[in-house]
Amino acid sequence: MFRRKLQALDYHNPSGFNCKDETEFRNFIVWLEDQKIRHYKIEDRGNLRNIHSNEWSDHYGKYLTDVNCPFSVQERQESIDWLLGLAVRLEYGDNANKYKNSTPTNAGSVPKDSETLVNLDVTNPDFKAGVLALASLLQIQRHDDYLVMLKAIRILVQERLTQDAIAKANKSKEGLPIALDKHILGFDTGDAALNEAARILRLLHIEELRDLQTKINEAIVAVQAIIADPKTDHRLGKVGR
C-alpha cells in the first residue's frame, strides 16, 4: 500500500514495511520525522524517539495534531499515508531543482478514462483527506488507489444524487386505500395485531401474483404474435409455404 511512496523517500525496506508491527511502526514514525518531515526541533523529538514508553501513543497523537493531520491515532493506515504524502511534498520542495525536469516513465500511457483526472495531484495530503472524507460520508469502500475511490464517488453522485435521481427515488407508488377489516383472512392467530399483519402480507402476495400473471400474459401474447402469423399462398390454396 505504501511501497511507491516509501521508495520515493528512500526508505530502507519499502516492500517489507509492516505497519501492524508496533515496534516497526514506531521506528518508522521516528525515521519519518527525523529524516523527512522535521516538524519538531531536534531537542523536541525525544518523546517520539522513546518508542518503549507507555505514553508513546499519546505523544504520537499530539504529533498528528501538530502537523495538522486529519486522521487520528486509531486510523493508522490513513495517518501513515497522509504523513507519507506530506513527506513526499516536503522532499520535493527540498529538491525542486532535481525533480522539476524529470518526466514519469509512463507519462504517455495515461488511461483514456483518467484523462479528466490527469491534472490532479494524487499525492497531495489534502486531496487524499478530501477523498477519504467523501468516501466515508457516502459509505464507499476504501481503496488503495485514490483515483479509483474518486471515480466511485463520481459514479454514485451521478446515479443517485442528481436532481433527477432524487426526484425519481422520492416518487411513491400511489394506490387506493384498502379497508383491511373487509378482507377475510381465513384463519385466526388469536392476536388482532398478528391478524392484521397476516392480511397485509396476503394482499402483498396477491399483488405480486397479479404482476406475475401480467408478465405471463405479455409473454403469451408475444409468442402468439410470432407463431400465429402464417404466410398464405393463394396459388396453392393452402396455408403455409
Side-chain angles (χ1 to χ4, degrees):
M1 180 177 181
F2 312 114
R3 181 175 56 83
R4 288 187 296 177
K5 292 176 185 174
L6 291 171
Q7 286 177 333
L9 295 170
D10 295 325
Y11 186 66
H12 69 280
N13 187 22
S15 299
F17 173 63
N18 180 15
C19 67
K20 295 181 180 179
D21 184 290
E22 192 65 28
T23 301
E24 185 174 359
F25 164 66
R26 294 186 180 188
N27 279 318
F28 164 75
I29 294 299
V30 173
W31 173 84
L32 199 61
E33 167 60 18
D34 278 344
Q35 302 296 324
K36 304 299 177 181
I37 297 178
R38 300 189 291 274
H39 180 77
Y40 288 159
K41 295 179 180 179
I42 295 177
E43 58 269 23
D44 296 332
R45 299 174 190 169
N47 290 329
L48 277 181
R49 289 174 175 172
N50 187 11
I51 62 172
H52 300 294
S53 170
N54 293 330
E55 299 178 352
W56 189 90
S57 293
D58 295 334
H59 297 309
Y60 176 56
K62 181 179 182 303
Y63 176 69
L64 292 178
T65 301
D66 291 343
V67 295
N68 296 318
C69 178
F71 301 107
S72 66
V73 174
Q74 289 73 28
E75 297 170 297
R76 177 170 293 189
Q77 290 189 347
E78 290 83 355
S79 62
I80 290 175
D81 193 61
W82 190 92
L83 289 172
L84 284 172
L86 175 61
V88 168
R89 186 172 60 181
L90 294 172
E91 180 79 359
Y92 175 81
D94 291 342
N95 301 277
N97 292 330
K98 175 183 175 181
Y99 297 116
K100 69 178 181 180
N101 294 322
S102 63
T103 56
T105 56
N106 60 344
S109 58
V110 178
K112 188 174 181 180
D113 60 351
S114 300
E115 288 178 357
T116 56
L117 305 175
V118 74
N119 292 323
L120 287 175
D121 180 9
V122 296
T123 63
N124 189 311
D126 295 332
F127 166 78
K128 292 182 178 181
V131 171
L132 285 173
L134 281 174
S136 178
L137 180 65
L138 298 174
Q139 298 182 347
I140 292 176
Q141 181 67 37
R142 293 185 178 182
H143 193 278
D144 291 346
D145 191 330
Y146 286 84
L147 282 179
V148 171
M149 275 199 295
L150 187 60
K151 290 175 186 175
I153 291 169
R154 182 189 65 185
I155 292 172
L156 178 64
V157 169
Q158 288 176 339
E159 293 184 354
R160 298 190 182 182
L161 298 181
T162 60
Q163 291 184 352
D164 292 340
I166 293 174
K168 185 177 180 180
N170 288 336
K171 280 186 178 180
S172 59
K173 187 176 180 181
E174 296 181 359
L176 297 174
I178 297 175
L180 292 176
D181 56 347
K182 293 183 179 180
H183 291 269
I184 300 175
L185 182 59
F187 60 88
D188 187 8
T189 65
D191 187 292
L194 286 177
N195 286 343
E196 185 171 332
R199 289 191 183 96
I200 293 173
L201 289 174
R202 171 167 288 184
L203 290 172
L204 290 174
H205 180 58
I206 292 173
E207 180 66 21
E208 290 179 348
L209 290 177
R210 286 175 178 170
D211 289 340
L212 178 61
Q213 185 62 56
T214 299
K215 292 177 181 178
I216 292 173
N217 292 340
E218 290 174 352
I220 292 173
V221 171
V223 172
Q224 288 177 340
I226 296 173
I227 64 175
D229 185 21
K231 304 295 182 182
T232 303
D233 191 338
H234 296 287
R235 294 174 301 172
L236 300 176
K238 299 178 181 179
V239 175
R241 295 184 181 278

